[in-house]
Amino acid sequence: MALNWTQIIMAAAGTVGFSLIFRLRARYVPLTAVVGALGWAVYLITQQMFQSASVFLPALTGGFAAAISSEILARVMKAPSTLFFITSTVPLIPGSTLYYCMDAIVAGEKEAALRYGMITFLIAFGIARE
């Protein structure tokens, strides 16, 4: 079971980008990158382990890993957990499927819109369950 390290590194980079946009203190930025990379790695591991058609379980476990590690870091760093959690769940957000869903709606492709909408909802629901 080989992980795609490029995806994990890019998840960390995306988390750093959003940490900078949200103007987090410099000492929190590397920690948010670790949490973002951890959440995406857990997502990929769960996706490879279960290889099901559903995206709900990988999103749920990735979000859960990000939530638990955010809570631990919040206690260690004496900071609010939302600093770590909000920025670290950014790699899990279903942006591409939402785009394809909206594109299919505009194009009048009801079946494709329903399929992409269902995938988007399942990923978002998996993240929101934390």
Side-chain angles (χ1 to χ4, degrees), residues 9 12 15 21 32-33 35 44 58 60 64 66 91 98 102 106 114-115 124:
I9 292 168
T15 304
I21 288 172
T32 60
V35 175
L44 291 176
L60 179 71
F64 184 73
L98 180 61
M102 292 298 118
V106 170
L114 184 61
R115 185 177 68 241

Side-chain angles (χ1 to χ4, degrees), residues 1 3 39-52 54 56-62:
M1 180 180 345
L3 286 179
W40 190 253
V42 169
Y43 175 88
L44 291 176
I45 290 169
T46 307
Q47 191 177 41
Q48 288 179 0
M49 280 177 45
F50 293 101
Q51 297 204 358
S52 64
S54 178
F56 175 74
L57 187 61
L60 179 71
T61 56

Side-chain angles (χ1 to χ4, degrees), residues 17-25 83 86-87 90:
F18 274 89
S19 298
L20 296 175
I21 288 172
F22 292 143
R23 296 183 183 174
L24 264 60
R25 291 185 181 166
L83 295 177
I86 297 296
T87 55
V90 167

